[in-house]
Amino acid sequence: MFAGPLDQSILRRAQEKHLVEIRVHDLRDWTHDRHRVVDDVPYGGGAGMVLKPEPFFEAVDALRQDESQVLLLTPQGERFNHAMACRLAEMRHLIFLCGRYEGFDERVRTLADREVSIGDYVVSGGELPALVLIDATVRLIPGVLGDEDSAGQDSFAGGLLDHPQYTRPPVYRELRVPEVLLSGDHKQIRRWRRKEALHRTLRRRPDLLDRAILSVEDQGLLSEIRTKEEGEMSNTGRGHEHR
Ligand code: ADE
C-alpha cells in the first residue's frame, strides 16, 4: 500500500534529496509465533478481529528515538489539517501506527502522543490516512517543493482557498481565460488572484474566512465582493446561487 505513493513525484524526490527518510515496517516482524499472527478475537465476543497489543508495543520499543512523536491513525482522533501538517513538518521523527481489521486493542492508545483522523468517515486501515499525513507534511519541509510549486501558494497555507488557475488555450469550448491573466499586468494579476481567493473562500468556506488573517487591502477587496453580490441580488430578485 505504501510503495506506490512513496515512489512517485514529490515524495520520491524528497527522499532522493535526503530531505526525509520514510521507512515502512510490518507489525508481523514483532510477532513470535510461527504464523506471525497480529490479531485475535475480541474479549466479550462480537464480529471481527482485533489487533493485539504486543506487536505495537514491541515495534514502538524498537523504533522510538528521543525525539519521536507517536501518531495513531484512528477515526476517533483529532482532525488533521494544515496547521497540524505544519507542526509535524518541524518534528525530527514521527512514528505512524496504523490499525486494520475491526480495530486495535485499547491499550495501544497508551503508546500514542496523539491520535489523528483524516475526516469523519472510516477507511479500511490506517495506511491511507498515514500516507495522507505524510504527503501533506513532507511538502512543507523546506526544499521539498521548488519555487515554482511552492507550498506557500497552496489552499489553506494563508488560511484561504487557492485562487483559480488557467493554462492554454485562452478559449476552449467557448470558456474564456479571464482577460486580466493575459494582460501581463502583474500588479493587477496579483490583485485579481487575491480577490478570487477571498471570493472563493467566502462562498465555499466562510468558516475559514472567520479565522484568516486579512490585510487592509483584503478587507477592501472583500467589501468590493460583498457590494457587488448585494447589487446582483437586488437586480435579479434572487438570493445568490451556489456556484
Ligand atoms: N482509520 C480508519 N479510518 C480512519 C480515519 N478516518 N482517519 C484516520 N485513521 C482511520
Side-chain angles (χ1 to χ4, degrees):
M1 287 189 80
F2 288 92
L6 295 181
D7 291 350
Q8 305 288 322
S9 93
I10 290 178
L11 288 177
R12 181 201 185 114
R13 272 189 281 130
Q15 294 171 88
E16 284 170 355
K17 289 200 259 174
H18 303 289
L19 296 167
V20 64
E21 187 186 336
I22 304 170
R23 279 178 260 156
V24 182
H25 302 274
D26 186 347
L27 272 184
R28 292 183 195 279
D29 292 346
W30 287 282
T31 54
H32 302 284
D33 62 304
R34 203 152 57 87
H35 299 291
R36 314 219 301 158
V37 176
V38 292
D39 59 347
D40 204 343
V41 294
Y43 272 123
M49 299 293 274
V50 175
L51 284 166
K52 294 154 62 65
E54 305 96 310
F56 281 104
F57 277 77
E58 290 188 29
V60 171
D61 283 346
L63 301 174
R64 197 198 284 277
Q65 304 173 4
D66 286 346
E67 297 176 289
S68 299
Q69 268 268 320
V70 180
L71 308 176
L72 179 65
L73 285 313
T74 156
Q76 299 183 16
E78 180 187 351
R79 190 104 55 87
F80 184 61
N81 61 18
H82 179 74
M84 204 192 294
C86 291
R87 289 197 295 273
L88 296 183
E90 289 180 349
M91 295 190 170
R92 300 282 311 158
H93 189 237
L94 301 170
I95 298 175
F96 297 91
L97 301 179
C98 304
R100 268 264 133 185
Y101 310 107
E102 302 308 309
F104 41 77
D105 186 284
E106 184 66 15
R107 289 165 289 189
V108 171
R109 291 192 196 278
T110 65
L111 292 168
D113 295 304
R114 51 201 318 167
E115 299 184 19
V116 185
S117 164
I118 57 163
D120 292 346
Y121 44 84
V122 174
V123 294
S124 308
E127 294 90 345
L128 291 172
L131 283 165
V132 168
L133 266 65
I134 291 168
D135 191 303
T137 300
V138 169
R139 45 189 290 114
L140 301 175
I141 296 173
V144 166
L145 298 186
D147 284 345
E148 72 283 359
D149 50 5
S150 144
Q153 306 285 318
D154 284 350
S155 283
F156 305 109
L160 300 181
L161 299 183
D162 203 1
H163 57 75
Q165 297 275 18
Y166 292 88
T167 186
R168 283 175 287 196
V171 185
Y172 182 66
R173 301 199 182 196
E174 293 178 30
L175 299 169
R176 287 187 169 278
V177 175
E179 210 58 51
V180 59
L181 295 178
L182 312 176
S183 71
D185 182 340
H186 292 288
K187 187 155 173 262
Q188 282 309 315
I189 290 171
R190 199 190 60 78
R191 187 177 189 280
W192 180 86
R193 285 183 168 162
R194 188 69 187 170
K195 193 168 174 181
E196 288 296 312
L198 288 161
H199 197 168
R200 286 232 150 156
T201 312
L202 178 68
R203 286 267 190 170
R204 296 177 182 215
R205 294 293 304 277
D207 58 307
L208 292 179
L209 212 48
D210 294 339
R211 276 173 279 141
I213 299 165
L214 301 179
S215 67
V216 176
E217 190 192 359
D218 291 336
Q219 314 270 6
L221 293 172
L222 264 180
S223 56
E224 276 179 32
I225 293 164
R226 291 197 166 109
T227 312
K228 184 155 179 280
E229 290 208 333
E230 276 156 24
E232 279 166 10
M233 271 200 291
S234 54
N235 286 344
T236 59
R238 284 178 285 147
H240 65 128
E241 289 154 40
H242 219 77
R243 275 185 289 186

